[in-house]
Structures are given as C-alpha cells and as structure tokens.
Amino acid sequence: MVFTKYELEQELREFMVGLARSTERVFGSDCGGALLGLPGRGAWHVEPSEALVNNSSLWQAVLTMYDYGIGGQPHPSFGASGDVGNQYGEAEMFLLGLDSMKLFFEEDDVHVPTFAQRTVRTAVARHLLDGGERYITRDEDEMAGYLSFAEVALLADMDERSVRNAANPKLPDALVTKNFGRRSMIAIEDARRWLSSRKGFVPTRGAPAEPQIAAPELSSLTVPYEIVARVSESARNANLSTAEFLAQLLDKHQGDMQ
C-alpha cells in the first residue's frame, strides 16, 4: 500500500504543472510559468520535467512529511516538542482542500495528488502519536489525545475496515476505543500499544513505543496475564482506554483513603 518517494515526486510534479495550467485558465496565459519557476513562459509550454518546483514550499513540506510520516525519520517540527504550523500546516490545508476543486481540475484533466494527501495525513497522525497537537482543529477539545480509525490505519499501513474490525472486544488484543457521540476514537497510548505489534507500522526512530515508567520499583513489575485481561475487559466495558480506567481506579482509591 505504501508508495515510494519517487512515485510521490512524480505525482506531485505533474499536479503542480497541471495546477499552473488550470490557473492560467482563470488568471491569464502568462502567470502559470512563474508558478513553475519559469516566468515569461506559459504553463502549457512547460513539460513536467522542466518545471523548477523543487524549491517551492509545497514541495519541500511534502517531501519532509514523507520522511517523517511514512519513513519514521524524526524531525524537530513534529512530535511533542514540535510545531506543525507554517509550511507544514499550510501544505496540509492546501492538499486536503483540493477535493472540493475536482470539478475545476477535470477541465484540464488534472488529477488530485492522492499520494501527497496521504503523506500529509500520515505525517499528522504520527505527529499526534508522538505527542504533538493538531494544527487543523476539526473536533471538540475533548477529542484531544485521540486518533481516528483512519489515522491509525495510515500508520499501520492497513485499510480502515481492517482496523475497525480489530476493535472487536472479543479479540484477545482488541483495539480499545472511546465513543464521542457517534464517533469512535482511539486514545494515543492504546494506539501505540496496538501499532507496536503491527507488521506495517514503522516506529519513529528514537521514540519509545510506550511511555517509559520512571519509578525503578515498577520497572521490573510482572503482572499476571489474568489480571491484565480483567483490566482490559473492564476498561472496554466502561468505554475507556486502559490508562483512563487505571487512572480512575487510582483516583477512587485515593478518595476512599481520605
């Protein structure tokens, strides 16, 4: 399912040339060449191989997001200490907004760059998995710290239906979900746990799959399987992630002690 960086580059280059040609249809016959780094030339007279698009903000952002999102290469703009604003947030908004312009592009047989769209979606999903925050906010604040089925599917390199099937509570290693109205979401820590055993998942280099336990007396603790199974089942029945369920147990225990 994963495409190569070369395939991404080819698709993106052809789209950017097509975009410049379609732009000329609206703004005039001399503006497209400038978008391709060749001012004074009409876009219809520029072949994709001639276009000087490699230095554009869009090109650089998408290729960086490929290395991070799909390749798992760490980058200072992503993760818990990163900020996906500026060119990366702009690339996300631009590429995901192209679907609404398909009718316009069809006039010139320009195809929306689906590889590039998947690239930015995957990079954002990994950014969230690594502790970052969304740049584009579509949901309520209560959904912060959660991934959608589609985002987990991108990280696992699986189709979304298979990921939804993995949330069946009857499975021994079921993906834990939480409902927000009619939407089901996956807590970050549960996504990390589940993804760590998926063949198609590429971990971020240098990033732990699970948060590390700081207390040395707990680091060697062995929990019997039946206890783990009971906790997981109780968390699912309560429609909570495992971490949320344990946190509630601790809060209740502390309240009873007071």
Side-chain angles (χ1 to χ4, degrees):
M1 295 175 65
V2 171
F3 45 90
T4 66
K5 182 185 280 190
Y6 175 77
E7 291 173 319
L8 170 65
E9 291 175 337
Q10 292 297 104
E11 179 203 62
L12 187 58
R13 179 178 294 276
E14 291 180 6
F15 166 73
M16 294 179 76
V17 171
L19 174 63
R21 293 172 176 175
S22 295
T23 301
E24 286 188 343
R25 182 155 49 90
V26 177
F27 291 97
S29 59
D30 295 328
C31 64
L35 294 175
L36 302 175
L38 297 168
R41 290 181 60 179
W44 285 97
H45 300 289
V46 176
E47 294 298 323
S49 59
E50 298 179 280
L52 305 179
V53 295
N54 298 46
N55 293 326
S56 66
S57 295
L58 179 64
W59 182 278
Q60 294 181 1
V62 171
L63 270 293
T64 297
M65 294 174 91
Y66 180 94
D67 291 337
Y68 173 71
I70 294 176
Q73 298 180 21
H75 191 278
S77 294
F78 301 99
S81 59
D83 179 9
V84 295
N86 301 324
Q87 66 183 118
Y88 304 110
E90 297 293 339
E92 180 190 4
M93 290 189 295
F94 174 74
L95 289 167
L96 300 189
L98 292 175
D99 289 332
S100 64
M101 298 181 65
K102 284 182 177 180
L103 186 63
F104 172 74
F105 290 135
E106 285 176 358
E107 286 290 312
D108 301 312
D109 197 27
V110 177
H111 301 285
V112 171
T114 55
F115 289 164
Q117 289 181 325
R118 176 166 175 162
T119 294
V120 299
R121 287 191 175 105
T122 307
V124 169
R126 185 179 293 278
H127 172 65
L128 298 173
L129 190 76
D130 291 344
E133 298 180 357
R134 295 185 189 277
Y135 179 73
I136 301 176
T137 303
R138 304 183 184 88
D139 306 310
E140 294 79 3
D141 291 340
E142 63 179 345
M143 292 189 190
Y146 289 82
L147 291 170
S148 68
F149 278 109
E151 289 169 330
V152 173
L154 287 170
L155 292 167
D157 193 26
M158 297 169 57
D159 62 88
E160 185 176 342
R161 179 178 296 181
S162 297
V163 177
R164 288 185 178 275
N165 291 339
N168 185 338
K170 295 181 180 179
L171 295 175
D173 186 31
L175 183 60
V176 181
T177 63
K178 181 176 180 178
N179 292 333
F180 293 90
R182 299 177 63 181
R183 294 192 63 184
S184 293
M185 304 286 285
I186 301 100
I188 296 296
E189 62 270 20
D190 287 309
R192 290 190 187 122
R193 174 192 61 80
W194 187 81
L195 285 166
S196 65
S197 61
R198 304 279 78 80
K199 182 179 180 180
F201 173 62
V202 179
T204 306
R205 300 175 192 175
E210 292 284 351
Q212 299 298 303
I213 299 175
E217 64 272 17
L218 295 179
S219 61
S220 60
L221 179 65
T222 300
V223 181
Y225 174 79
E226 59 270 19
I227 299 298
V228 175
R230 287 174 58 189
V231 169
S232 298
E233 182 179 4
S234 298
R236 286 195 295 270
N237 291 338
N239 200 25
L240 297 170
S241 69
T242 303
E244 290 173 328
F245 179 76
L246 291 174
Q248 287 193 8
L249 283 181
L250 288 173
D251 290 340
K252 184 178 184 302
H253 175 71
Q254 291 175 350
D256 293 340
M257 293 290 291
Q258 294 177 352

